[in-house]
Amino acid sequence: STLSEYNDESFGYNFNNNLLYRHSFNKKGRTISFNSRTGINESDSDNDLLALNQYYEETGDVNDTVNQLTDAYSKGYSLAAELMYTEPISDFGQMYVRYRPSYSTNYSLSETYNYDYDYDTYSIFDTILSSEYNNDYFTNHLGTGLRFNTGKMNLMAGVAVQRADLISNPVFPETMDIEKKFTNILPDAMLRITFSRSSNLRAHYRSNTQAPSLSQLQNVVDNSNPLSMTAGNPNLKQSYSHTVMTRYQLSNIMRSKFMYILVYLRNTSDYISSATYTAARDTLIGEGIVLNRGSQLTIPVNVDGYWNARLFFTLGLPIEKIKSNLNFNTGITYSR
């Protein structure tokens, strides 16, 4: 059992902007565009934890007290750009080439002090629960594809090669250099068919990668809930996903009729999930950190075989006698 009091005071900000420039040449369909995005974030917080824990053992109850103060600071910024050139290849088609580099960096510092009852102050520096971390993520994305637009049908299909570099530099409690390189083929496609003014079909396929966050990579224990601790995993890989979404819409505004169907499917390899371990006995999980029997430790891990699927259907019909509409909705969700 546990009785805990946790107080947190924090200040932070997030700033993001986007700038787009596009130029059209005299030849129809020949364009060049430049898009840039920047982001800045910073956070500073102080929190204190007082937890009274009691473990019921066969040999007698064990009492444990956690009384600590944590100063946490983090900052980061990101830069991304895209340069795209399109060239007409027919009256209805274009070829495009695009280059998309990006860079993000994050810094985190966390200092934890245990309470000194002799001097009535938080002055005992806890090296196990403190950390300092730098993380950099670079990507270079080069792709090409085709676009066709006949008025009623709009089709786009392309493929890209992406190189990603993940560089992590823990500074404290131990210094190390972690560098990982990933190369992926990223196809994408989009189809839109307009059957009439009242009905259309859209289908979209895309692939993408997602790097682990700084907190997920930090191999530092968070004991803010002593019975359910968490820690990071510096061995995480980036995830790689394929997503397909199709939707069909039919509407008759004059007669107040409406039908909508949505199908969504997503598969991810190296999906970043969570593994939870329950201690069958008192277990040392780090220098000076004990996971008591019955307590839990949760860490992020990569797993394969992640699936997420959704099917949604809605139908709207008028009830003219009472001047109202009746809507039917149903759906199925599957997750693995």
Side-chain angles (χ1 to χ4, degrees), residues 130-283:
S130 302
S131 66
E132 186 175 5
Y133 211 97
N134 291 287
N135 188 63
D136 297 318
Y137 185 62
F138 304 83
T139 65
N140 281 283
H141 179 110
L142 180 63
T144 185
L146 299 173
R147 292 174 174 174
F148 292 96
N149 189 350
T150 63
K152 288 192 173 183
M153 185 184 73
N154 190 343
L155 172 65
M156 182 185 73
V159 65
V161 178
Q162 178 176 283
R163 164 67 182 268
D165 295 83
L166 179 62
I167 302 173
S168 300
N169 302 112
V171 179
F172 187 84
E174 57 180 343
T175 302
M176 65 177 68
D177 294 322
I178 303 171
E179 185 171 351
K180 300 178 182 181
K181 303 179 185 296
F182 308 95
T183 301
N184 298 102
I185 305 297
L186 302 176
D188 66 284
M190 186 274 294
L191 172 66
R192 176 174 180 175
I193 302 176
T194 303
F195 299 104
S196 66
R197 295 181 60 183
S198 59
S199 66
N200 62 78
L201 172 71
R202 290 186 179 184
H204 189 197
Y205 161 74
R206 70 187 297 259
S207 55
N208 70 292
T209 61
Q210 181 66 47
S213 66
L214 180 60
S215 61
Q216 291 172 328
L217 290 168
Q218 284 183 300
N219 190 21
V220 176
V221 175
D222 179 0
N223 70 335
S224 56
N225 182 352
L227 300 186
S228 182
M229 301 185 188
T230 62
N233 179 3
N235 297 315
L236 287 176
K237 304 175 184 177
Q238 68 173 6
S239 61
Y240 180 40
S241 300
H242 300 273
T243 305
V244 177
M245 184 178 69
T246 302
R247 62 182 185 178
Y248 174 74
Q249 179 176 312
L250 175 63
S251 61
N252 188 328
I253 298 177
M254 300 301 296
R255 300 190 61 185
S256 299
K257 290 184 177 181
F258 180 82
M259 184 177 72
Y260 180 85
I261 302 173
L262 171 70
V263 179
Y264 174 91
L265 182 65
R266 185 179 182 88
N267 171 250
T268 304
S269 57
D270 287 323
Y271 177 79
I272 300 177
S273 184
S274 296
T276 300
Y277 303 90
T278 302
R281 61 186 64 86
D282 292 354
T283 305

Side-chain angles (χ1 to χ4, degrees), residues 40-56:
I40 303 173
N41 65 84
E42 188 171 4
S43 176
D44 195 356
S45 66
D46 297 316
N47 62 75
D48 59 82
L49 169 68
L50 175 61
L52 308 176
N53 309 300
Q54 186 174 18
Y55 302 91
Y56 304 99

